[in-house]
Amino acid sequence: MLQIEGVKKLFDTGAKPVLALEAVDLTIERGEFVTIVGPSGCGKSSLLTLISGLGFPSSGRIRIDGREISGTDREVGFITQQDNLFPWRTTIDNVSLPLELAGVGRAERHREAQRWLKRVGLEGFEHAFPHQLSGGMRQRVNIVRTLIYEPPVILMDEPFGPLDAQTRLTLQALLLSIWETQRSTVLFVTHDLTEAIGLADRVVLMSARPGRIVRVDPVTIPRPRDIFYIHDLPEFRRLYDALWNELAVQLDDFTRLKH
C-alpha cells in the first residue's frame, strides 16, 4: 500500500543545512498498523510530512498503490498532536467538514457525523464548541474528522501525546476498536514504547538524526488486544526490552539513564 524508497530529506533554508532523513526504506502492507519510535529530532514527523504530500523528499520517492506522491492527496489522512479544530464551528460541523468539502449535503453529512460521534462517546456534544470540550474530547473529534471520509492511509503524529495517562489508554483502546473494523493502513508516530507495541503489527525504530531505520520488529501478540493489560504479557516484555536496549544506543548519556 505504501512504499518509501531511498528517501532523504535535507533542510537547507537556514544558516546551517540539516540532514533530517537519509536512506529510509520501508514497505507497509494494506491494512497494516505500523508505529514509529526514535529519539526526538530523528525525523519521524518529517517522514509523515513527506508521506502526506505537505513536503517533498530531497531524493528518493514515496508511492501509494504504485502511484508516486506529488502533493496533498485525499487518500492520505493526517492526524496531528494538536487538534486544529475550528473554534467557530460546533463539534458536528468540525467532524463533517471533510464531507462538506466533498460536496455532501448538510443533512447527509450531519447524519454520518452523528454516527461517528456516537461511536466515540460524544453523543450529546454535537452542538458544543471546541472550548467547551476537554482535551480528550477534542482529540476524539480530531480523529473522527479524518476517519469520517475513510482515507485508505492514515498518518498519526503523536495524537495522544498531550493527554493524561488514563485518557491516553482510553483513546488507544478506542482507536484499536475502530481500526479493527475499518482496517485503514496506519502509520503512527509515538515516543511511548508501550503505546508503540500495544497498537502495532510492526514497530519501526529510527536512529538519531539523520533518521535511518535501525530495525523493524513484528508484534506477535494476538488481536484483539486488551490495551489496559498488554504490558503484563511476556511477549510484550521481551519486545519492550529489545527495543529499549536499541533505543538507548541512539540517545545521549542523560536519556540513557535507566528509568
Side-chain angles (χ1 to χ4, degrees), residues 106-145:
R106 178 182 174 86
E108 183 180 349
R109 68 178 184 258
H110 275 199
R111 276 197 302 271
E112 187 65 8
Q114 180 71 49
R115 184 177 72 84
W116 275 101
L117 290 171
K118 183 177 181 179
R119 189 172 184 184
V120 299
L122 288 176
E123 192 174 24
F125 292 91
E126 296 88 348
H127 303 294
F129 289 93
H131 74 273
Q132 297 172 312
L133 304 176
S134 69
M137 294 166 77
R138 288 197 301 272
Q139 195 59 301
R140 278 185 254 176
V141 175
N142 187 34
I143 290 169
V144 298
R145 181 177 57 180

Side-chain angles (χ1 to χ4, degrees), residues 121-171:
L122 288 176
E123 192 174 24
F125 292 91
E126 296 88 348
H127 303 294
F129 289 93
H131 74 273
Q132 297 172 312
L133 304 176
S134 69
M137 294 166 77
R138 288 197 301 272
Q139 195 59 301
R140 278 185 254 176
V141 175
N142 187 34
I143 290 169
V144 298
R145 181 177 57 180
T146 295
L147 298 181
I148 195 171
Y149 73 95
E150 299 184 348
V153 176
I154 298 175
L155 311 175
M156 306 185 80
D157 190 2
E158 295 193 76
F160 308 142
L163 304 176
D164 63 84
Q166 181 177 340
T167 303
R168 281 175 68 106
L169 282 172
T170 301
L171 291 188

Side-chain angles (χ1 to χ4, degrees), residues 173-194:
L174 176 64
L175 176 61
L176 277 185
S177 173
I178 293 171
W179 173 80
E180 283 164 1
T181 58
Q182 192 164 329
R183 289 287 174 165
S184 297
T185 304
V186 176
L187 195 56
F188 186 110
V189 163
T190 178
H191 280 97
D192 185 335
L193 280 182
T194 299

Side-chain angles (χ1 to χ4, degrees), residues 89-108:
R89 294 179 72 108
T90 62
T91 298
I92 198 165
D93 284 330
N94 266 296
V95 169
S96 62
L97 178 61
L99 300 183
E100 181 180 344
L101 295 175
V104 177
R106 178 182 174 86
E108 183 180 349

Side-chain angles (χ1 to χ4, degrees), residues 168-229:
R168 281 175 68 106
L169 282 172
T170 301
L171 291 188
Q172 287 168 16
L174 176 64
L175 176 61
L176 277 185
S177 173
I178 293 171
W179 173 80
E180 283 164 1
T181 58
Q182 192 164 329
R183 289 287 174 165
S184 297
T185 304
V186 176
L187 195 56
F188 186 110
V189 163
T190 178
H191 280 97
D192 185 335
L193 280 182
T194 299
E195 181 172 73
I197 297 168
L199 296 175
D201 294 313
R202 289 188 295 157
V203 180
V204 175
L205 177 64
M206 293 185 68
S207 70
R209 191 172 65 232
R212 303 179 181 89
I213 293 177
V214 176
R215 61 186 290 163
V216 181
D217 290 90
V219 181
T220 58
I221 300 169
R223 298 185 186 274
R225 298 173 185 166
D226 187 339
I227 204 73
F228 297 97
Y229 296 100

Side-chain angles (χ1 to χ4, degrees), residues 11-151:
F11 293 99
D12 58 0
T13 55
K16 182 179 179 181
V18 174
L19 183 59
L21 296 166
E22 187 171 42
V24 175
D25 291 283
L26 183 64
T27 298
I28 299 172
E29 301 298 331
R30 186 180 305 277
E32 192 175 19
F33 199 126
V34 174
T35 54
I36 302 180
V37 294
S40 294
C42 73
K44 301 184 295 295
S45 296
S46 295
L47 181 59
L48 292 196
T49 300
L50 299 181
I51 297 169
S52 73
L54 293 171
F56 298 95
S58 302
S59 61
R61 61 181 182 174
I62 302 172
R63 296 186 293 171
I64 293 178
D65 263 347
R67 172 174 57 81
E68 192 160 354
I69 293 175
S70 58
T72 54
D73 194 315
R74 188 171 171 80
E75 292 199 1
V76 180
F78 197 175
I79 300 171
T80 62
Q81 187 175 117
Q82 301 300 319
D83 57 64
N84 298 313
L85 301 178
F86 292 113
W88 60 87
R89 294 179 72 108
T90 62
T91 298
I92 198 165
D93 284 330
N94 266 296
V95 169
S96 62
L97 178 61
L99 300 183
E100 181 180 344
L101 295 175
V104 177
R106 178 182 174 86
E108 183 180 349
R109 68 178 184 258
H110 275 199
R111 276 197 302 271
E112 187 65 8
Q114 180 71 49
R115 184 177 72 84
W116 275 101
L117 290 171
K118 183 177 181 179
R119 189 172 184 184
V120 299
L122 288 176
E123 192 174 24
F125 292 91
E126 296 88 348
H127 303 294
F129 289 93
H131 74 273
Q132 297 172 312
L133 304 176
S134 69
M137 294 166 77
R138 288 197 301 272
Q139 195 59 301
R140 278 185 254 176
V141 175
N142 187 34
I143 290 169
V144 298
R145 181 177 57 180
T146 295
L147 298 181
I148 195 171
Y149 73 95
E150 299 184 348

